Amino acid sequence: MTRLAYLDSRDILGGPPFTVNATIGYNGSMIQVKAFCDSGANAYVIVKTSLARDFRRLTGAQQDRFDAVRTTGFTGVKLEDVEDVTFLNLWLSNRRYLCCPCIEMEDAESEVTLGRIFFAKHGVMLDPAYRRLVWPDSQPPGPLIPDLIISRESLSLGRPNPYHQKDAEQRDALIARDEK
């Protein structure tokens, strides 16, 4: 009999992804998300483009752009060029990271991904057996300051009327011109 006769493939392949509860926020508004922990992702924090766009629209979070960088998957297959970064506050296990640069990727597998650079920079270890993060003593948990927690669904509601938006932008431009 072969060794495979005693082996269940579910014991060595697959299963649920390693995710942790996280909260992203800006300007007093927060949403709760599941963050995928990927020590193989050669990035700090990745956020799905659609989530970042909706969150910026609702909260006024800042976005910046850098020279496009071509990304590749772990197999070497080219993915997408990334150039947009949204700055968000991040809460993990009652630890707060302010103004985190989150790379936007539409092809991201999850809404938020914590990458290798995040874990290395903050000295956080992954404990996959218990599906938890192990924090260094230098980063004790702090109080979670209650802000306005909004539902994920509400981000996509209430898109502005294009006519109203154009009118508001024209008025803003006139006000800015008059203030000069």
Side-chain angles (χ1 to χ4, degrees):
M1 189 173 278
T2 70
R3 285 183 264 175
L4 288 178
Y6 301 102
L7 183 63
D8 184 346
S9 63
R10 292 173 293 190
D11 291 337
I12 60 171
L13 185 64
F18 186 165
T19 59
V20 295
N21 293 323
T23 303
I24 60 171
Y26 185 82
N27 214 14
S29 297
M30 303 176 0
I31 62 167
Q32 296 173 328
V33 295
K34 289 283 187 185
F36 177 52
C37 299
D38 187 354
S39 62
N42 201 19
Y44 185 70
V45 176
I46 299 168
V47 65
K48 198 163 189 65
T49 301
S50 55
L51 173 63
R53 181 182 52 245
D54 290 344
F55 199 71
R56 278 193 317 274
R57 181 186 52 78
L58 184 70
T59 65
Q62 300 299 307
Q63 179 190 50
D64 242 329
R65 181 164 280 171
F66 55 87
D67 293 336
V69 175
R70 170 68 46 123
T71 59
T72 57
F74 69 93
T75 60
V77 174
K78 291 182 179 172
L79 299 175
E80 62 182 286
D81 290 345
V82 295
E83 57 188 1
D84 295 323
V85 176
T86 295
F87 293 88
L88 301 172
N89 300 327
L90 176 67
W91 288 263
L92 295 163
S93 304
N94 286 353
R95 288 157 179 90
R96 183 171 59 170
Y97 300 93
L98 299 177
C99 206
C100 286
C102 301
I103 297 170
E104 295 181 24
M105 290 185 73
E106 191 53 47
D107 293 338
E109 290 187 32
S110 59
E111 289 186 321
V112 175
T113 301
L114 303 174
R116 178 194 62 78
I117 297 171
F118 177 87
F119 298 120
K121 180 175 183 176
H122 299 292
V124 180
M125 305 289 285
L126 281 74
D127 183 358
Y130 295 99
R131 295 188 169 281
R132 65 187 180 114
L133 301 176
V134 179
W135 301 91
D137 293 338
S138 62
Q139 293 186 46
L144 181 62
I145 300 168
D147 284 333
L148 174 64
I149 297 180
I150 55 179
S151 70
R152 174 67 179 97
E153 295 78 30
S154 68
L155 288 180
S156 58
L157 298 177
R159 302 244 183 242
N161 179 319
Y163 175 77
H164 297 156
Q165 184 64 38
K166 183 177 180 184
D167 181 56
E169 289 169 1
Q170 288 173 342
R171 282 185 280 129
D172 288 346
L174 288 172
I175 291 169
R177 189 189 73 200
D178 290 343
E179 288 177 349
K180 289 182 181 180

